[in-house]
Amino acid sequence: RLKWCVVRRPRTAFTNGQVNLLESVFQVNSYPGIRLREDLAQKLELDEDRIQIWFQNRRAKFRRSFRESSLQFMQK
Amino acid sequence: RLKWCVVRRPRTAFTNGQVNLLESVFQVNSYPGIRLREDLAQKLELDEDRIQIWFQNRRAKFRRSFRESSLQFMQK
DNA sequence: TTTTAATATAATTTC
DNA sequence: GAAATTATATTAAT
């Protein structure tokens, strides 16, 4: 008997090299367009949507750290 | 993300009354046709395919016990 | 060694 | 896409 099940994509384990390139791109452009993402995808042998999610999460991490440091500042 | 998964039908728990009637039918006819199975299904408030599977399993059990007793006989 | 808890972050959901 | 949440891989402590 077959049934539709929701299945999570297995977590992608980026290599150091992949993260290094992504980070260096992030420093100059944290909102890469589809063109650049496709380019990175090909260079890093990843799917473009992995790249897109990586940048979403990276931006979230940046905003989080920014908020936390502002908070520390305000508490002084 | 959706994926096809094989899902087991929840095991049917036959009542004693259901098994009693099925057993008594089995004694006189271990290969009931669709007509009789539908009839039993309605009487027992079960799906006809549950009945069909029950008879398949019951015949297998019978053959198993038959083989075992033959074996015992031959070993004597 | 095995188990548990904390952490980082990938993936998903909700808006 | 942002924010919030969930899930999982890794690591540290036991």
Side-chain angles (χ1 to χ4, degrees):
Chain A
R1 308 198 63 68
L2 288 174
K3 192 188 178 182
W4 283 113
C5 299
V6 179
V7 141
R8 210 170 236 263
R9 164 190 295 280
R11 189 184 170 106
T12 302
F14 297 103
T15 65
N16 285 344
Q18 287 170 331
V19 173
N20 287 345
L21 180 49
L22 291 167
E23 287 287 354
S24 64
V25 171
F26 185 81
Q27 285 202 344
V28 297
N29 181 4
S30 55
Y31 289 86
I34 180 65
R35 210 52 163 291
L36 178 48
R37 292 199 309 266
E38 293 282 18
D39 202 44
L40 284 168
Q42 189 173 3
K43 279 201 178 62
L44 298 174
E45 294 183 311
L46 291 166
D47 286 342
E48 183 274 324
D49 42 345
R50 289 318 88 212
I51 308 286
Q52 179 159 8
I53 296 295
W54 187 90
F55 275 89
Q56 283 180 10
N57 285 323
R58 188 62 188 78
R59 287 193 298 268
K61 178 182 177 178
F62 176 73
R63 286 187 298 267
R64 209 157 46 235
S65 66
F66 180 75
R67 268 196 300 275
E68 277 162 20
S69 57
S70 306
L71 211 65
Q72 284 174 8
F73 174 74
M74 291 190 292
Q75 283 174 346
K76 278 184 186 167
Chain B
R1 299 171 57 73
L2 289 174
K3 189 188 180 183
W4 283 113
C5 299
V6 178
V7 141
R8 242 169 211 265
R9 162 187 299 280
R11 190 184 168 105
T12 303
F14 297 103
T15 65
N16 283 344
Q18 288 169 332
V19 174
N20 287 345
L21 180 49
L22 290 167
E23 285 287 357
S24 66
V25 172
F26 185 81
Q27 284 201 347
V28 298
N29 181 4
S30 54
Y31 288 86
I34 181 62
R35 212 47 165 290
L36 178 48
R37 292 198 310 266
E38 291 282 17
D39 203 43
L40 284 167
Q42 190 174 4
K43 280 202 176 62
L44 299 174
E45 294 181 311
L46 290 166
D47 287 342
E48 182 273 323
D49 42 345
R50 289 318 87 213
I51 309 286
Q52 178 157 15
I53 296 296
W54 187 91
F55 275 91
Q56 281 178 13
N57 286 327
R58 188 63 188 80
R59 289 193 297 269
K61 178 180 177 178
F62 176 73
R63 283 191 299 269
R64 206 158 47 238
S65 67
F66 179 73
R67 265 198 301 276
E68 276 163 19
S69 57
S70 308
L71 212 65
Q72 282 172 11
F73 174 73
M74 290 192 292
Q75 282 173 346
K76 275 182 188 168

